[in-house]
Amino acid sequence: MSPRRGRTALLAALLTATAATATTTAPAGAATAVPAFDHIVLVMFENHSYGQINGSSSAPYLNSLAGQGAKFTASYAVTHPSQPNYIALFSGSTQGVTSDSCPKTFSGTNLGSQLIGAGRTFTGYSEGMPSDGYTGCSSGNYQRKHNAWVDFTNVPASSNRTYAAFPADYTTLPAVAFITPDMCHDMHDCSVSTGDTWARANLDAYAQWAKTHNSLLIVTFDEDNSLSGNHIFTAFVGAHVRTGSYGERITHYTVLRTIEAAYGLPGINNAASLSPILDVWQ
């Protein structure tokens, strides 16, 4: 065989091997639609980059949790500071908010109003909030800037609950629940280790239950530490989830669009033009 023909054969073999690898690593039988979950619980932590959580010895539980489901290696927040990210994930828009100033009041469509309008249920649970329906800007370790649903006049006060009201009987959960840990447990004022310990104590029972009860846990962060291009840690754990790492770029708007799709809702605002996440389902 001539040297030229030998190089050609070698190149062809390499291309074939590459194609075979691509084929074997692609998800076989990936879903064509987001599963119609009975319950979705989303928990938002604070102000840490993907690199500060992924593989960190300070976050053994969050890493273990991600290993049980879908870990997104290219998940990004929308902006800085905190408040507009919470509003973005809840309504598909930052609503023009560029600061953490409080209070904010809006009347536009949001995930809560969508669900309620479709005959579904939504509840936000805020740790440290002094009472159900509270509209104040702060109380102890509670900050309204991390509670987007209270900002919208078309979300009833009954959907704004303290974390103490989160049910022990998960069958009584609303269709979608958002949980906001307090300013210590969300890692804003306390360490990654403190937040990770809280996550294990408060989320694992639901995470394990969700796997066999057509339900889903989403864990994410509002923003990074302002040093990593807003690259954040996000994981899905629960029923129908194909375990693995996923490299497609997603944002808070993509997560919102995926939750909407699970309940047959149209995308709103900046989520409207996005496709829901599909490759993680089996």
Side-chain angles (χ1 to χ4, degrees), residues 173-199:
L173 278 165
V176 177
F178 278 22
I179 295 176
T180 298
D182 69 23
M183 292 286 285
C184 176
H185 295 146
D186 68 4
M187 308 183 195
H188 185 284
D189 292 348
C190 296
S191 67
V192 169
S193 178
T194 297
D196 189 75
T197 299
W198 182 93

Side-chain angles (χ1 to χ4, degrees), residues 209-281:
W209 180 89
K211 294 176 183 179
T212 56
H213 290 83
N214 191 39
S215 297
L216 179 68
L217 173 65
I218 299 174
V219 172
T220 189
F221 282 71
D222 69 324
E223 59 178 330
D224 74 347
N225 57 346
S226 297
L227 298 173
S228 302
N230 240 344
H231 188 195
I232 57 172
F233 185 91
T234 300
F236 289 6
V237 179
H240 315 297
V241 177
R242 185 189 301 271
T243 302
S245 295
Y246 295 83
E248 68 263 41
R249 182 184 175 94
I250 66 169
T251 69
H252 290 326
Y253 295 138
T254 323
V255 173
L256 170 60
R257 182 70 198 96
T258 303
I259 297 171
E260 291 172 318
Y263 297 98
L265 302 171
I268 53 174
N269 297 320
N270 290 308
S273 61
L274 301 179
S275 297
I277 298 166
L278 294 178
D279 55 340
V280 303
W281 315 117

